[in-house]
Amino acid sequence: MARLEISGLDELDRVFRELGNVPDDVTERACKAGAEVAAPAIKQAGESKRIRSRESSAHILDRIKVGKFKKTDGGGYVDITFSGTQKKTKGSKPVSNGRVAFENEYGNSTQSARPFVGPAIASNEDAIVRPMADAIGDFMESTWNK
């Protein structure tokens, strides 16, 4: 556990100001670390629900991608997407793998929902947050110990 020593209100004020302004590289490292844990958890959950197509050798679970960090006013985020497309039958219009994942997650008029993304995130929340907390914790510790 980190030991924190503060001598004076000016130093405490400095530390709190720095902690309130987490640098973009720290936010990016934290977001990517969480996404790198979440993506395989989503794939595993999809496999357990048999979210796989018999018609296609490459399916949505093979196309899970961790995106690039995107900065926002509130910090930032990293997308986890299902890239590419697939066709149901030869000559049919391609359908995005994102849509296929969405319809598996929420269902449609001909298919019952088979949620796998939400449950994967919920059941692996601690494992996903742990590397994110480590990245932020490293920053906090270096800020306190300047």
Side-chain angles (χ1 to χ4, degrees), residues 3-146:
R3 180 184 166 122
L4 308 173
E5 292 184 30
I6 301 292
S7 56
L9 292 177
D10 289 339
E11 186 177 353
L12 181 62
D13 181 57
R14 175 194 63 81
V15 170
F16 280 142
R17 286 182 192 281
E18 288 184 32
L19 289 176
N21 296 309
V22 177
D24 291 344
D25 65 313
V26 175
T27 304
E28 179 176 353
R29 192 169 44 250
C31 289
K32 283 188 169 191
E36 292 293 341
V37 173
I42 292 168
K43 181 174 182 171
Q44 183 180 10
E47 293 284 3
S48 71
K49 292 265 183 144
R50 297 190 176 137
I51 308 288
R52 210 162 254 296
S53 173
R54 293 183 195 105
E55 298 88 30
S56 176
S57 58
H59 199 263
I60 63 171
L61 299 178
D62 301 321
R63 301 302 194 115
I64 296 174
K65 299 270 190 253
V66 174
K68 293 182 180 179
F69 174 74
K70 293 169 186 86
K71 185 177 172 7
T72 65
D73 290 340
Y77 64 94
V78 172
D79 283 325
I80 299 173
T81 60
F82 298 88
S83 66
T85 61
Q86 61 178 283
K87 292 182 177 187
K88 286 189 177 188
T89 60
K90 210 171 200 145
S92 67
K93 248 177 123 174
V95 178
S96 79
N97 285 328
R99 180 176 180 137
V100 173
F102 181 88
E103 289 183 357
N104 273 287
E105 187 77 8
Y106 298 104
N108 61 31
S109 62
T110 61
Q111 173 184 317
S112 297
R114 296 187 297 169
F116 67 103
V117 176
I121 300 297
S123 65
N124 291 285
E125 184 177 348
D126 289 342
I128 293 166
V129 171
R130 191 172 303 115
M132 297 175 80
D134 289 345
I136 301 292
D138 291 346
F139 164 71
M140 289 175 65
E141 196 166 311
S142 69
T143 299
W144 282 103
N145 296 324
K146 276 188 179 177

